[in-house]
Every structure is written in structure tokens, then in C-alpha cells.
Amino acid sequence: MDTAEIVPADCSDTELIRATLAGNQQAFRIIVERYEDSVAATVFSMVGNIPEAEDIGQETMIRLYQSLHTFKGEASLKTWICRIAINLSLDYLRRKKRRWLWFLDNGTEVLESIPNPSCNNRQWEQREAIQTSLMQLKPEFRAVVTLRLIQGYSTEETAEILQLPVGTVLSRLTRGKSKLLEQLKERI
Amino acid sequence: MDNQHDQMLDQLLSQHKKDRFRKGFSDRVMNRLSQDEAALHRFNRELQQAFYKVSLPCAAMALLMICINVTSYSPSVWLYGGVVETLLGLHELTADLLLVI
């Protein structure tokens, strides 16, 4: 049920959550608009620029809506959304890997990419190199690299989102960066 | 890993231009949300209807059996138990009959 009350777009997350829980759909729309770029960055870095990425993004927002009543505010809303996006991306990658193992008996991921006409060739090549190199990382390393280096979360925040000890995040980051650098050296 | 390379990688990744969802993402999410809610309401309503379709005839049948068997309602029922079985007419079921069923 939607309450007709108009919510200002500059409302705090807490106010938006309260309004959403009171049945105000407009408030939830503001949350979606506020965090869609963050979700996109996370999902695209995790699964690549593929059509399914939008489905994962939509599912992230639906799951957020369904679990909003359990949000206690211990972490920020952005962290909470990012955790959902990462978990759904990892689920997708696991399912995809299982499908490939089933059909081809081969666990390597295939990068399906959509060219972006807004980039020039050099930028496009660089983006492709980064994206392709990211896709070569194992999902657990990719998640750490995405959050820590692309999204710019701190090590502690990354650990909180992935629900891992800080030490594990640091070791995965070091190994992930090392592998990423090897890949990038071949491509750039 | 070389520190210079490390810094270069950090810089390259932080500048990595992020892809965005197609325009109208929030509209699509809100549409899907309202569709999901409508589907959930429809499912709940159908479940409720199915419950009544099954439970009301069952309750009516049980009531009918009670009415039919109420004549056999005697003090012996209280003494030897089996009130519900007697009321529903199940007290005549023997082990042999159960095997047949």
C-alpha cells in the first residue's frame, strides 16, 4: 500500500527506511535512485557487462525491500545493499560455473561484453583490459578487489560486507592484486 | 609486488569508469516490486480459497457423522474412553477392517 505523502529527495537513509516501512513506495524509489550506481558498479565488476547484470541489480533492490524491516542500522545502508549485491553476484557466478561444468566439463568463465559507444577506442581498450583481467580472478578475490579498489571501501568495511576477518581480506587483496597486475601487464 | 606497480594498479582501478544500468532502472524495479506484491496477494487469496474449499466440506462431514452417531453416545463411552472415535463412528473399526482399508 502506498501512502501519498511526498518525501524530499534529500532525506536521510533512516527517514527513507522509516517511510518505506510505513508503506511509502516513493521513499523506496529514492533509495533505489540513490544507490543504483553503487549497485551497478559492484555487479558489473563482479559478473561483467552482461544482460544478466541488470537482473541481479533489480533482484538486489527487491531483496533490499523485502529485508528492510530487519535492517537495524548497525552498518550503513550502502554497506547493506552492497552485501546483497555481492552475495547475489557470487550466487550467479556459482550457478554459471555449475552450468558450464555440466555442459562442457570446463569451469572457465566466458566473458560476454557489450561495447559502450560513449568511450573512445583507447578508453574502451583499457576498460576491457581491466574488466577481462578482473574476470580472470576467482570470485572471492574479485569481490575483495571490487570493493576495496574499485568501490573504494576501507579494509574494515570490505571485511564487514563480505563477513570475513580483516586478515583474510588483506591476504586476498594482496593475492588478487598480484594476479590482476600479471593479467594487466599482458593486456596493456 | 613492486610498490610502484602497486600504486599504479590502485590508481588505474580507482579511475576505472564504472558502467551504469540502462536509464529507467528505478522504474523497472518499482514495476517489478508491484508485480511481485500483486502476485503474492493473488497467491495468498488463492491459498485462502483453497483452504476453505477443503476445510469447510471436511468440517461439515465431521459434523454430519457426529449427528449420525450421537445416538451411540452412552456412559460406557466415558468409562472406556474413545469419545471422539464414538462420535465420529470410528469405534467400530477393527484391526481387520483397517487392514482392508
Side-chain angles (χ1 to χ4, degrees):
Chain A
M1 195 176 68
D2 195 2
T3 56
E5 196 183 332
I6 296 167
V7 185
D10 57 352
C11 258
S12 70
D13 286 348
T14 316
E15 285 170 313
L16 289 173
I17 291 168
R18 200 176 298 132
T20 305
L21 291 175
N24 190 326
Q25 299 265 313
Q26 182 59 29
F28 186 67
R29 181 186 284 272
I30 296 171
I31 294 178
V32 173
E33 284 167 358
R34 189 173 288 180
Y35 292 110
E36 72 169 87
D37 285 348
S38 176
V39 170
T42 306
V43 173
F44 283 126
S45 301
M46 286 299 293
V47 302
N49 193 343
I50 53 170
E52 289 87 343
E54 159 118 7
D55 292 338
I56 298 170
Q58 284 186 21
E59 189 60 30
T60 301
M61 294 304 187
I62 303 283
R63 296 274 178 100
L64 170 72
Y65 184 79
Q66 289 166 346
S67 63
L68 214 50
H69 65 282
T70 63
F71 180 73
K72 292 184 177 70
E74 287 158 358
S76 72
L77 186 62
K78 191 181 176 190
T79 307
W80 177 269
I81 295 172
C82 201
R83 186 184 295 165
I84 299 173
I86 285 277
N87 285 337
L88 287 174
S89 303
L90 289 171
D91 284 349
Y92 168 79
L93 292 171
R94 273 185 220 114
R95 280 201 309 274
K96 191 177 171 188
K97 191 177 177 183
R98 270 203 299 272
R99 276 203 300 272
W100 277 100
L101 284 170
W102 178 261
F103 287 115
L104 300 174
D105 195 27
N106 181 359
T108 54
E109 288 175 42
V110 173
L111 182 71
E112 304 158 59
S113 183
I114 301 166
N116 187 337
S118 66
C119 293
N120 63 35
N121 277 347
R122 176 83 188 109
Q123 278 178 319
W124 174 244
E125 276 170 20
Q126 190 172 314
R127 267 178 74 172
E128 273 298 283
I130 293 173
Q131 194 66 45
T132 312
S133 306
L134 267 173
M135 291 299 120
Q136 300 300 316
L137 295 180
K138 281 186 177 175
E140 59 265 33
F141 294 111
R142 201 185 307 162
V144 173
V145 171
T146 297
L147 292 173
R148 182 70 188 85
L149 301 179
I150 297 179
Q151 291 276 62
Y153 284 105
S154 68
T155 308
E156 287 75 19
E157 284 170 327
T158 306
E160 195 188 328
I161 291 169
L162 297 173
Q163 294 181 305
L164 290 170
V166 172
T168 309
V169 170
L170 286 171
S171 68
R172 285 188 187 178
L173 184 66
T174 310
R175 286 179 65 188
K177 276 167 89 171
S178 159
K179 284 180 193 293
L180 198 57
L181 204 59
E182 280 171 31
Q183 296 283 339
L184 281 171
K185 272 180 189 168
E186 290 171 15
R187 289 186 168 83
I188 297 184
Chain B
M1 193 193 307
D2 186 79
N3 199 34
Q4 197 184 350
H5 280 149
D6 205 21
Q7 282 176 352
M8 202 178 72
L9 182 67
D10 285 359
Q11 197 184 2
L12 196 63
L13 289 174
S14 64
Q15 287 169 352
H16 177 48
K17 195 169 177 242
K18 287 144 190 160
D19 288 304
R20 304 178 75 175
F21 293 126
R22 281 181 296 122
K23 208 176 169 189
F25 175 77
S26 59
D27 292 334
R28 292 191 293 279
V29 169
M30 297 314 286
N31 282 341
R32 207 177 130 182
L33 205 59
S34 54
Q35 278 169 9
D36 284 3
E37 279 194 341
L40 189 69
H41 283 145
R42 205 167 44 246
F43 175 73
N44 279 341
R45 205 171 48 243
E46 281 168 7
L47 197 69
Q48 207 173 14
Q49 280 171 356
F51 173 75
Y52 286 128
K53 273 180 192 167
V54 174
S55 65
L56 285 179
C58 284
M61 199 141 104
L63 200 66
L64 187 70
M65 287 170 84
I66 289 169
C67 290
I68 292 167
N69 293 294
V70 81
T71 46
S72 63
Y73 189 68
S74 67
S76 65
V77 170
W78 296 104
L79 289 174
Y80 302 109
V83 179
V84 176
E85 287 87 343
T86 306
L87 286 176
L88 294 175
L90 303 175
H91 61 294
E92 286 166 1
L93 280 182
T94 61
D96 294 340
L97 265 175
L98 279 175
L99 276 176
V100 172
I101 292 166

